[in-house]
Amino acid sequence: MAAYQSAFDINDSLGREKSLFFKVNWAQQAQMPNAIKAFNFSKSQTYNPRENLDRYNSYAITMDPPSSTTSFASTTLEALRTFAGGPAFNDNHWTCNVNEDSQGRLTISNVGIYSSTMMGMPMPMTHNVFSSIEFRDIVVTLVFTKADNSKYEMNLYLDQNSLNNNITPSSTVKRYVGTNGKIGSDSNFQIGLNQKLIYTVKAGNKYVFFLIDLSFVFKYPSGDFDPAGFINASKIYPQIQLFSFYYNTLDHPSINIDTANLFDNVLDVTSLLSAVPGSAILPESISIKYYDARIKMCVNNDNSAHVNLTTPVGGVQYDQNYLGTLRAGGKPIPDMFEKQFLSSIGKNIAGFYVDSNTSTSPDKRLLPDYQTAYVPGGVGQQFLAGVKRLPDLSPWWASAFDYVDYYLKTEKEFTAVWGTQDTRYSPGDQEFIPSAEDSYNYPSTTSSTNGITLRKVGRQGAYDNMHIQGYLGHYKDSLAGNEKIVIHAPVCGFCCLHMHWRWGKRAYDIGENWFINGFMSKVGEKFAGWGTGDDKTIRSFSNPGDPLIPYNQHLNIAITNPSSTPATENGLILPTNITNLDPDVKAIWYAVHIDAKLLDSYVILEQGLGFAFSYADAANIMTGSPSVGDLSDILSLPAYLGISETAYPDFFAALATMVTTTWSDGMGGMVAVSDNYTTLSVAEVYEILYRLMRFYNKGTYAGYDQIPSNINVPGDVNVYPNITSAIPSHAFSMENQ
């Protein structure tokens, strides 16, 4: 591996050392006026060991003259759009309140997406997504050299609300608004907000400036969030960018910063360092060892935009939007595909998932034998031909995931990604510990006929992604005592918040090999992660299967109640008194610990999140109207599932009717084929697919999840996973939720 280099040193085409706000070319951009001290470093006076530092002069070193004071306090996205002179927002746009919290930091609340239509019908409404998002717990670890060459560390606690707070930001605050933006050909950017805070430390003759960029970028929905383009997801990027630079007064003796009083709220640590016992500390040796920062997102999505519930009877309701025509007409629906809603369940369901690294290799997984069903006709034929060549591209849980925790009921925290500061990284070899693996029997713990091989790549932690979906019911055939809650995965297109910090290699393969209108999509790079190899791969979008964040970042993910207080400011989040999760609002903590350097720039949560509220047109390729694709062939043989077709004639007729049509053969010709058509909506067909993708639906293990859930992953699972002892025996039984 090449010598360690940060994201600042090696950048991809998007320049990942900058937050997304500064990557977007905003058609309308405005700086909000603010009263600040007027001072300008000239280039000749600035310590500049790298040409890249010049780019920061425009907003970090050069300061504007005084003007009237304005802030982000008590405003809205719409008001800020007007301020920036941007065009009216498109339909399906983000909406929220914008404010500055008690410590003066940019924050948003009541965050949602406004749509004028829903499910093809005029239905103005706002999809709830977040109750609030805030930036907090920012800590800088300084390191100094002593006269005996030993090291001394000191923490700066930047949060004004912290009991340990020891530094105040400068009155120099800059705020920007951008609207109608684009990156290259992507012109789907709605609006962006940016706030810049400066903190100053003096150590002897050296001033160190910490520039903290807080920003939100909002995008309109598009079908580019998942590798197959099945869902319309609106993306949001709550990001922190951390940058530092310094100025040594000895380099410019003609300028006396102290007497000129050019900067306010300077923390002078010189006397503090001199008071430390032992070998003398050299103040001008000041550098940075770590940054710590967290983004807290309180999620309050629900099913109100997608579910139309009947009047409760005995505490149970049905969704009139799902097979409602059949139900209203008294037509029977198979229990395995019917959904009931329980009044005791909250508004949303949170789950964590692990993308498989081994389903592409020889494995003993028990796969559903309908995964390679042949479907004639055009794109569907091409897709399934691809499935036969690459069976890992099939959507079944047994080939998509290794394990899940899909219905969280209590608070939870885990390491999501390891960084260079962890024992997984070997500084001498300058590489991460290679993949390790182990196997366990599943679905039977006593039979070795079938099993799952679990392999973790070098930086991979306990889980790879998160879904928080609105509550979408329980399957009716499970309510007799073995309740199975409805989970939309691996593609979740209704009222679902997605956050990925790693995609498995199969996501890259799907993106590269997926057929859309007869052409390979070739978008796999978007789902590749940060490499850790030679100079060509130490960048984002470079290595399939690696995490999406730079390799000098350690990531912890926690899910708590919104009111829970973190146990520490720059360590564990989860309090010792773990409680049940709030049924309606979940607090997600994205906590990063960065192996840092002076003069480098770092971005936190650069991959953003997506909220999906509808299925994209591409979903019709495999499922919806008019062609049902592989699903129709499965259910045209109801005996396969042990269901009597004569007992449910209307259900099966609605699902699939054979029609002769003409399709492209993918090679420039046309072919007449008999294909199955459906009168169900894409969403209804997907509901049926979700049932089939997740469970074994026939035979000895009918009703079992295709992979185990609720696994208690040990902290060292990434290096030496002891899978057998790590998985409690109840994980192998039918899920009892």
Side-chain angles (χ1 to χ4, degrees):
M1 177 177 171
Y4 169 77
Q5 299 187 67
S6 74
F8 190 91
D9 299 307
I10 297 179
N11 309 307
D12 64 7
S13 59
L14 288 181
R16 304 288 274 194
E17 85 286 358
K18 294 193 295 183
S19 70
L20 188 64
F21 183 89
F22 294 104
K23 299 188 188 84
V24 176
N25 179 21
W26 300 105
Q28 287 80 30
Q29 183 169 337
Q31 178 181 348
M32 304 183 73
N34 188 85
I36 61 175
K37 295 179 180 296
F39 181 73
N40 188 357
F41 284 119
S42 69
K43 182 177 179 181
S44 61
Q45 293 172 328
T46 304
Y47 178 77
N48 186 7
R50 304 178 182 178
E51 293 181 3
N52 280 342
L53 189 59
D54 288 341
R55 77 183 66 184
Y56 295 96
N57 286 354
S58 62
Y59 65 84
I61 300 174
T62 301
M63 301 181 182
D64 294 336
S67 182
S68 60
T69 300
T70 304
S71 77
F72 281 128
S74 302
T75 185
T76 64
L77 288 186
E78 174 61 25
L80 293 171
R81 176 198 67 79
T82 302
F83 170 82
F89 291 147
N90 299 338
D91 196 15
N92 300 316
H93 62 261
W94 288 92
T95 177
C96 67
N97 295 329
V98 181
N99 215 326
E100 293 186 8
D101 61 20
S102 59
Q103 54 187 337
R105 290 182 183 164
L106 173 64
T107 184
I108 58 177
S109 60
N110 299 322
V111 187
I113 297 171
Y114 175 82
S115 300
S116 63
T117 62
M118 192 62 219
M119 303 178 74
M121 301 293 291
M123 190 186 303
M125 69 174 309
T126 298
H127 305 262
N128 295 323
V129 184
F130 302 98
S131 58
S132 64
I133 302 180
E134 60 180 304
F135 306 107
R136 53 176 294 164
D137 302 330
I138 302 177
V139 180
V140 182
T141 300
L142 302 176
V143 61
F144 299 84
T145 300
K146 292 186 174 183
D148 61 3
N149 287 324
S150 62
K151 301 296 181 181
Y152 177 77
E153 295 181 7
M154 172 186 293
N155 283 344
L156 301 178
Y157 295 90
L158 275 57
D159 285 35
Q160 303 302 295
N161 298 332
S162 168
L163 295 176
N164 299 310
N165 172 246
N166 55 2
I167 188 169
T168 302
S170 168
S171 60
T172 300
V173 179
K174 290 192 175 184
R175 304 168 178 89
Y176 295 89
V177 180
T179 62
N180 194 24
K182 64 185 300 185
I183 295 179
S185 60
D186 184 358
S187 58
N188 227 24
F189 294 89
Q190 175 189 337
I191 191 170
L193 313 177
N194 173 260
Q195 180 191 47
K196 301 177 185 303
L197 304 173
I198 296 179
Y199 297 79
T200 307
V201 173
K202 181 186 179 186
N205 296 308
K206 184 182 287 188
Y207 286 80
V208 178
F209 306 95
F210 299 93
L211 177 66
I212 311 299
D213 264 313
L214 310 176
S215 64
F216 293 98
V217 172
F218 303 84
K219 288 194 71 177
Y220 293 115
S222 61
D224 63 352
F225 189 84
D226 69 287
F230 276 174
I231 59 175
N232 282 319
S234 296
K235 294 181 182 178
I236 181 173
Y237 297 84
Q239 294 181 337
I240 304 174
Q241 178 181 327
L242 305 162
F243 175 66
S244 62
F245 59 98
Y246 67 85
Y247 180 86
N248 195 324
T249 58
L250 295 181
D251 295 336
H252 307 283
S254 62
I255 301 178
N256 191 328
I257 292 182
D258 295 320
T259 58
N261 191 27
L262 295 170
F263 299 100
D264 56 4
N265 298 330
V266 176
L267 174 64
D268 191 337
V269 300
T270 308
S271 59
L272 295 175
L273 297 176
S274 64
V276 175
S279 180
I281 299 173
L282 310 177
E284 287 81 6
S285 68
I286 182 172
S287 189
I288 302 171
K289 187 173 184 179
Y290 300 123
Y291 285 117
D292 289 272
R294 295 168 179 165
I295 303 174
K296 180 183 179 183
M297 300 164 280
C298 294
V299 185
N300 66 341
N301 59 324
D302 55 50
N303 63 18
S304 59
H306 301 91
V307 171
N308 182 17
L309 296 178
T310 60
T311 302
V313 177
V316 175
Q317 297 172 280
Y318 293 92
D319 177 14
Q320 298 179 79
N321 292 335
Y322 171 65
L323 305 180
T325 302
L326 292 175
R327 198 179 301 109
K331 309 300 182 183
I333 300 168
D335 283 355
M336 69 180 296
F337 298 120
E338 180 62 287
K339 300 191 306 177
Q340 293 182 329
F341 288 73
L342 308 180
S343 57
S344 59
I345 306 298
K347 292 182 178 180
N348 50 43
I349 305 297
F352 295 109
Y353 300 81
V354 179
D355 290 353
S356 179
N357 294 317
T358 59
S359 63
T360 61
S361 60
D363 200 1
K364 297 190 299 181
R365 296 181 188 233
L366 180 59
L367 300 175
D369 56 9
Y370 52 79
Q371 69 165 341
T372 57
Y374 176 78
V375 179
V379 174
Q381 179 178 350
Q382 296 167 35
F383 164 65
L384 287 169
V387 169
K388 289 182 178 181
R389 293 192 303 270
L390 299 168
D392 57 293
L393 301 189
S394 58
W396 322 121
W397 277 33
S399 56
F401 306 124
D402 281 336
Y403 58 85
V404 299
D405 194 350
Y406 57 72
Y407 185 14
L408 286 153
K409 296 181 179 180
T410 59
E411 297 178 314
K412 185 183 187 80
E413 181 176 9
F414 54 87
T415 292
V417 179
W418 302 101
T420 50
Q421 60 275 73
D422 296 308
T423 57
R424 274 69 178 171
Y425 179 72
S426 172
D429 298 329
Q430 296 185 329
E431 63 181 17
F432 287 86
I433 293 176
S435 301
E437 66 179 52
D438 203 347
S439 299
Y440 55 91
N441 299 330
Y442 189 80
S444 169
T445 59
T446 58
S447 172
S448 60
T449 302
N450 295 111
I452 294 177
T453 299
L454 175 60
R455 179 189 303 139
K456 294 280 187 174
V457 300
R459 297 184 60 212
Q460 184 183 4
Y463 297 90
D464 297 328
N465 62 81
M466 174 201 76
H467 286 184
I468 299 183
Q469 65 172 59
Y471 171 52
L472 295 168
H474 281 74
Y475 293 109
K476 185 177 181 180
D477 65 342
S478 67
L479 290 178
N482 195 17
E483 301 173 4
K484 292 188 283 290
I485 197 166
V486 175
I487 299 295
H488 283 196
V491 178
C492 185
F494 269 7
C495 50
C496 187
L497 180 70
H498 299 249
M499 180 167 64
H500 290 251
W501 45 93
R502 175 186 173 271
W503 289 89
K505 184 178 181 299
R506 69 190 300 274
Y508 171 87
D509 292 337
I510 292 173
E512 287 294 285
N513 296 284
W514 191 253
F515 282 95
I516 298 179
N517 297 326
F519 298 95
M520 289 282 193
S521 57
K522 293 295 182 184
V523 295
E525 183 184 59
K526 294 176 56 177
F527 304 94
W530 277 78
T532 55
D534 58 26
D535 288 351
K536 295 180 180 178
T537 60
I538 307 180
R539 61 179 182 86
S540 59
F541 301 143
S542 65
N543 199 34
D546 271 352
L548 303 177
I549 69 175
Y551 63 90
N552 57 0
Q553 296 188 14
H554 172 111
L555 171 64
N556 264 31
I557 296 289
I559 181 169
T560 71
N561 284 310
S563 59
S564 292
T565 301
T568 66
E569 284 188 76
N570 58 340
L572 291 177
I573 300 168
L574 205 62
T576 54
N577 55 329
I578 297 174
T579 63
N580 291 334
L581 289 172
D582 187 297
D584 299 330
V585 185
K586 314 287 192 294
I588 302 300
W589 299 76
Y590 189 95
V592 169
H593 179 62
I594 302 176
D595 190 2
K597 295 180 181 178
L598 193 63
L599 298 174
D600 278 2
S601 181
Y602 307 93
V603 176
I604 296 173
L605 192 50
E606 61 182 34
Q607 73 273 23
L609 305 89
F611 182 77
F613 56 90
S614 66
Y615 290 95
D617 292 340
N620 292 318
I621 292 175
M622 191 175 75
T623 59
S625 306
S627 176
V628 182
D630 58 341
L631 178 63
S632 63
D633 276 328
I634 300 166
L635 296 184
S636 66
L637 301 173
Y640 174 86
L641 298 171
I643 300 175
S644 170
E645 186 171 7
T646 58
Y648 306 97
D650 298 281
F651 171 80
F652 285 108
L655 181 63
T657 300
M658 189 65 70
V659 177
T660 299
T661 186
T662 301
W663 288 78
S664 166
D665 62 8
M667 296 175 288
M670 304 295 291
V671 58
V673 297
S674 295
D675 204 356
N676 288 288
Y677 279 62
T678 182
T679 60
L680 301 181
S681 68
V682 173
E684 288 174 316
V685 173
Y686 252 91
E687 287 286 3
I688 295 169
L689 267 176
Y690 286 128
R691 170 70 193 233
L692 296 173
M693 289 192 293
R694 173 180 159 193
F695 296 103
Y696 297 116
N697 291 291
K698 56 176 285 189
T700 304
Y701 303 110
Y704 279 52
D705 288 322
Q706 293 174 16
I707 58 167
S709 58
N710 290 336
I711 293 179
N712 181 22
V713 182
D716 61 350
V717 67
N718 191 48
V719 185
Y720 304 110
N722 187 356
I723 303 304
T724 302
S725 63
I727 304 174
S729 59
H730 72 78
F732 297 103
S733 62
M734 293 172 63
E735 187 60 36
N736 188 4
Q737 301 290 4

